Amino acid sequence: MPAPFKSFNKLIKLIGCFVNLFVLNNYGQAQPADTNKHEQLVSYWKVGMSYLSNYVYMGRQDSLPTPYLTPTIGYYHSSGFYVSGSLSYLVEKKSRRIDYGSIDIGYSFDLTERLSGEVYANKSWYNQSSTNVASDIKGYLGGVLGYDVDFIQVNGGMDLLFSNKPDFTCNLGLSHAFEFGDNDKAVSVEPTFTTNWSTLHSYEGYINRRVGKRPGTGIPLNTTITAETKVQNNRLTLMDFELSLPFTYESSHFGINFTPTLAIPRNPIYTTTTITTTTPGGIQNSQTFPSTPNSELNLQNRFYAELTLSFKF
């Protein structure tokens, strides 16, 4: 997800969730599209275009890269209220399509000189053919708080994810912004460290989608096939550590954001799946097998980057 732009006078980073978000930045994971300080008392529209080299969710990705080109439009009121919408186009050369869309609404606020927060809600839609690792998530609700202690910003939040079963996510982040320029033209570089935790019901739905795409052999016509995946020891789990270096340039009407991120996944997610076939005559047959992807059996660090160009008016 694009990193939020900070005003020149206040450096409060609102990244993620405290003890993953209801992302995904996010999603995600996804995170809210814009968190500029409403203290400027200016309402505006913002349109942007971003390119994401690969969709990585809490250190996880599909077996194939999922790069996205995403146009976004949003309205940001001086009170702190905002609403935005986006469509993500998959630009992987063998699969080009609109892969998912989302609508975000939220409200950002200042509690004290050093303490800020935000609450938000998201609704997402995914293409039925999507292989996005977050494709079972239909939306989320959440909030973040950020506290500025001069030399470092501490950020935490919680999200409630809606998939076939609800998930709880949280994260904790530390960052420090180096800013240059003035209020009309500002540059910010902000080294950031984030940890993410989550329960794993949405991952069960993602594996179900993967299994459902496997071609069947020797299956009679009109036979119903269902898949049910279970994560072993499904509980709040440390998912990954993330190191990012957001670079932001923003003037009164134009902005550029470039965010490279290294995700370091932790704790492999082991799954088993039961496939049940039901014939037109009502005869059922079930088979249970290990369905843990190779990517989980051999966790690897994931590097990805996002570039965003935006215009305000």
Side-chain angles (χ1 to χ4, degrees):
M1 309 276 143
F5 173 74
K6 321 286 182 306
S7 70
F8 180 71
N9 295 319
K10 284 192 175 181
L11 310 174
I12 298 179
K13 177 79 176 176
L14 304 176
I15 304 176
C17 308
F18 187 103
V19 109
N20 197 278
L21 295 173
F22 175 25
V23 139
L24 226 293
N25 231 299
N26 195 224
Y27 168 157
Q29 16 288 54
Q31 297 295 316
D34 192 287
T35 54
N36 283 359
K37 289 295 183 184
H38 58 272
E39 68 189 11
Q40 299 173 6
L41 301 179
V42 175
S43 300
Y44 59 90
W45 287 87
K46 189 172 188 177
V47 295
M49 180 68 73
S50 65
Y51 173 75
L52 178 66
S53 64
N54 188 20
Y55 191 95
V56 178
Y57 178 69
M58 297 191 186
R60 272 69 183 176
Q61 68 163 62
D62 190 67
S63 56
L64 296 176
T66 48
Y68 287 120
L69 190 65
T70 304
T72 303
I73 184 169
Y75 176 71
Y76 302 86
H77 192 264
S78 58
S79 65
F81 171 81
Y82 66 86
V83 57
S84 66
S86 64
L87 284 175
S88 292
Y89 183 77
L90 181 64
V91 292
E92 203 277 327
K93 60 182 179 181
K94 293 184 179 180
S95 301
R96 298 182 183 273
R97 60 174 178 264
I98 295 176
D99 204 50
Y100 79 92
S102 69
I103 295 176
D104 296 273
I105 61 173
Y107 177 73
S108 59
F109 51 88
D110 296 326
L111 294 174
T112 68
E113 179 72 14
R114 295 178 179 271
L115 181 64
S116 293
E118 184 172 351
V119 291
Y120 47 82
N122 166 276
K123 173 60 180 175
S124 300
W125 298 267
Y126 285 86
N127 190 297
Q128 290 185 349
S129 300
S130 178
T131 59
N132 189 313
V133 71
S135 57
D136 197 55
I137 299 173
K138 301 174 178 65
Y140 55 84
L141 297 171
V144 296
L145 288 174
Y147 188 75
D148 184 357
V149 290
D150 291 329
F151 63 94
I152 199 167
Q153 289 75 48
V154 181
N155 315 283
M158 301 179 186
D159 281 9
L160 178 63
L161 309 180
F162 298 105
S163 52
N164 289 333
K165 297 179 182 178
D167 272 317
F168 173 75
T169 69
C170 57
N171 68 34
L172 181 66
L174 302 173
S175 64
H176 179 77
F178 300 90
E179 295 195 341
F180 313 91
D182 53 35
N183 289 329
D184 293 327
K185 294 181 180 179
V187 175
S188 172
V189 180
E190 186 166 8
T192 302
F193 172 76
T194 307
T195 61
N196 294 303
W197 292 264
S198 182
T199 56
L200 303 167
H201 293 113
S202 66
Y203 193 80
E204 293 176 340
Y206 161 70
I207 297 298
N208 281 343
R209 292 169 66 96
R210 282 173 53 101
V211 172
K213 293 181 175 62
R214 293 179 180 176
T217 58
I219 298 176
L221 293 175
N222 301 321
T223 296
T224 302
I225 304 174
T226 59
E228 183 178 6
T229 297
K230 295 292 185 183
V231 170
Q232 299 177 20
N233 300 318
N234 194 344
R235 60 180 182 271
L236 189 65
T237 301
L238 173 62
M239 299 295 290
D240 75 337
F241 303 111
E242 296 183 7
L243 299 170
S244 61
L245 189 65
F247 167 87
T248 300
Y249 166 82
E250 187 148 330
S251 66
S252 55
H253 296 290
F254 175 69
I256 301 175
N257 176 270
F258 177 69
T259 304
T261 301
L262 176 66
I264 305 170
R266 309 297 298 171
N267 298 318
I269 306 171
Y270 299 105
T271 59
T272 57
T273 299
T274 300
I275 298 292
T276 301
T277 58
T278 305
T279 67
I283 299 174
Q284 289 189 340
N285 181 51
S286 297
Q287 180 183 9
T288 300
F289 59 92
S291 55
T292 307
N294 288 333
S295 58
E296 282 298 316
L297 296 174
N298 302 281
L299 290 177
Q300 296 181 3
N301 297 345
R302 306 290 183 183
F303 177 82
Y304 59 99
E306 184 169 29
L307 175 65
T308 302
L309 304 179
S310 59
F311 299 88
K312 294 193 298 185
F313 55 93

